[in-house]
Amino acid sequence: TDRKKLHTAPVGQVFRLRPFHVLVATGGGYAGYRKYEDYKLEQLEKRGIEVPVKLASEWEVALYKSVPTRLLSRAWGRLNQVELPLWLRKPVYSLYIWTFGVNMKEAAVEDLHHYRNLSEFFRRKLKPQVRPVCCVHSVISPSDGKILNFGQVKNCEVEQVKGVTYSLESFLGPRISTGEMHFSQAPPGNSFQQQLVTKEGNELYHCVIYLAPGDYHCFHSPTDWTVSHRRHFPGSLMSVNPGVARWIKELFCHNERVVLTGDWKHGFFSLTAVGATNVGSIRIYFDQDLHTNSPSYSKGSYNDFSFISNNKEGIPMRKGEHLGEFNLGSTIVLIFEAPKDFKFNLKAGQKIRFGEALGSL
């Protein structure tokens, strides 16, 4: 009777698991499992074994989206901007170089102590001579990376990887008014794909380039063209590595992206920078009004900006000219119009560097 009483709180008060915490824990664990599955697929591909396509179900996509990747990406961005002390810079950057196979001999500044923070290191510039721009071919690679897919656009569907497609209209959004474009209006009864093709005898082509974390993070103009319009889609920031691109249909339509559209000598031309996990920051050098990975956005929304005004007919870009940059690594999608005899000089899965030829007439 003289023992002290042990007061215990109800179990429900001790373990207060809120729905948000459950979603984060479950989604994060599932994302980790998918990373492991992606690693196994990469090993099979290296051995030349063809991997069958297995698409994610709706609940799997919803579960993956429950991971707060936008919040994590903003936190990562702030961490990247923290200035590192001189003694810590070389160990941190050396670990990153070793992990992702970065070739610092190509960097304009090889001294690791020069980079005050991770953000500066990610956005390092290259020596001019290490990326000669091909003058023979009409379209060059806008960045370093891996070719995921390329070819003609068929039936208003574009392949993000072999066997996995996404809708052309969902990706680019509604067609821009002809007042902002330099070419004529296509018949309204035609499909979205046919409306983009402005010259008889032309076809619509696409090319998908994946930038790994160790790649050069800036991207350049792939040809001589004029940028007339920018469309920004806020969205998720799921991983866009080849394993996830093979798993989630219309992955590029879910993620945040910046679509630049305009025209070149053969008609319609577009370059899209697709965001990814830890790549909430997409910067276009000539577009100071663009702000990506905002804390809040409306699902399915987008905002437009025209570079055509009374005294300006768009932004002229020369082949190889600096265009923009990612914070870490992501994906670039080119969709453009060209004559039927346009040929790609590529192989799916090959590594490519900025300035090398994509294709030509």
Side-chain angles (χ1 to χ4, degrees):
T1 56
D2 58 348
R3 290 181 180 178
K4 293 182 179 180
K5 292 183 180 181
L6 179 65
H7 295 277
T8 58
V11 175
Q13 293 181 12
V14 177
F15 300 100
R16 288 186 176 179
L17 294 178
R18 298 177 181 177
F20 175 75
H21 297 153
V22 174
L23 285 174
V24 170
T26 308
Y30 193 73
Y33 166 74
R34 287 307 312 174
K35 286 288 186 182
Y36 173 68
E37 290 293 309
D38 295 340
Y39 171 76
K40 291 197 300 183
L41 290 176
E42 287 178 5
Q43 297 306 307
L44 291 173
E45 285 182 342
K46 287 180 180 179
R47 288 189 283 171
I49 301 173
E50 188 171 346
V51 181
V53 174
K54 184 181 178 182
L55 294 176
S57 61
E58 290 185 9
W59 71 266
E60 287 178 309
V61 176
L63 185 58
Y64 191 2
K65 282 187 171 183
S66 70
V67 181
T69 52
R70 293 179 64 86
L71 177 62
L72 292 173
S73 296
R74 284 194 296 274
W76 175 254
R78 290 183 181 179
L79 179 64
N80 287 348
Q81 294 173 1
V82 174
E83 185 169 340
L84 299 176
L86 277 172
W87 63 268
L88 189 58
R89 293 177 189 179
K90 189 170 183 179
V92 170
Y93 301 147
S94 296
L95 177 61
Y96 186 90
I97 290 167
W98 177 79
T99 303
F100 297 108
V102 178
N103 185 1
M104 284 303 293
K105 290 183 179 180
E106 297 180 334
V109 180
E110 296 184 40
D111 181 12
L112 297 181
H113 295 101
H114 169 79
Y115 303 100
R116 293 174 298 176
N117 51 48
L118 283 166
S119 181
E120 285 189 2
F121 178 72
F122 293 145
R123 296 181 287 108
R124 64 193 177 277
K125 298 297 185 287
L126 297 180
K127 296 172 183 173
Q129 65 271 21
V130 300
R131 292 292 188 275
V133 174
C134 177
C135 299
V136 178
H137 295 79
S138 54
V139 184
I140 62 168
S141 176
S143 67
D144 289 6
K146 179 181 180 180
I147 301 295
L148 294 190
N149 216 304
F150 62 92
Q152 284 190 17
V153 177
K154 297 180 180 179
N155 302 319
C156 294
E157 292 281 325
V158 186
E159 281 193 317
Q160 58 191 29
V161 294
K162 186 177 180 181
V164 182
T165 63
Y166 56 92
S167 163
L168 180 65
E169 186 168 7
S170 297
F171 181 69
L172 296 179
R175 190 167 188 270
I176 301 160
S177 64
T178 54
E180 298 183 22
M181 309 301 280
H182 292 285
F183 35 82
S184 59
Q185 172 73 48
N190 290 356
S191 67
F192 183 81
Q193 178 179 337
Q194 291 171 326
Q195 290 181 34
L196 294 180
V197 178
T198 62
K199 298 181 181 180
E200 188 175 351
N202 282 3
E203 297 287 349
L204 207 60
Y205 297 87
H206 74 99
C207 183
V208 183
I209 305 170
Y210 167 68
L211 289 75
D215 288 326
Y216 169 56
H217 294 106
C218 297
F219 51 93
H220 301 247
S221 176
T223 192
D224 295 334
W225 65 307
T226 300
V227 183
S228 304
H229 187 274
R230 179 258 292 161
R231 176 169 285 162
H232 173 216
F233 291 86
S236 301
L237 287 173
M238 294 184 284
S239 171
V240 293
N241 74 56
V244 177
R246 187 184 295 107
W247 179 55
I248 298 181
K249 183 178 173 64
E250 298 204 333
L251 171 65
F252 299 156
C253 297
H254 290 294
N255 273 17
E256 182 164 21
R257 58 198 182 278
V258 177
V259 183
L260 300 178
T261 54
D263 61 289
W264 69 320
K265 60 183 178 180
H266 299 296
F268 174 80
F269 199 96
S270 72
L271 180 149
T272 301
V274 183
T277 307
N278 294 336
V279 195
S281 173
I282 302 173
R283 183 183 173 194
I284 305 298
Y285 294 139
F286 58 75
D287 189 356
Q288 302 302 316
D289 295 320
L290 175 64
H291 301 286
T292 57
N293 197 12
S294 299
S296 62
Y297 71 97
S298 300
K299 185 178 179 181
S301 65
Y302 61 86
N303 57 76
D304 290 338
F305 185 86
S306 175
F307 298 110
I308 294 179
S309 61
N310 294 332
N311 56 357
K312 202 169 187 179
E313 295 186 355
I315 308 294
M317 297 297 301
R318 303 295 296 176
K319 183 167 63 174
E321 186 178 350
H322 278 84
L323 182 54
E325 62 189 35
F326 291 111
N327 188 46
L328 185 58
S330 193
T331 298
I332 288 178
V333 180
L334 301 179
I335 298 175
F336 58 93
E337 174 185 359
K340 290 182 178 180
D341 57 351
F342 181 88
K343 300 293 182 185
F344 284 102
N345 303 315
L346 303 171
K347 291 182 180 178
Q350 79 171 71
K351 291 288 292 182
I352 197 165
R353 305 201 303 175
F354 154 62
E356 294 178 346
L358 287 183
S360 189
L361 298 170

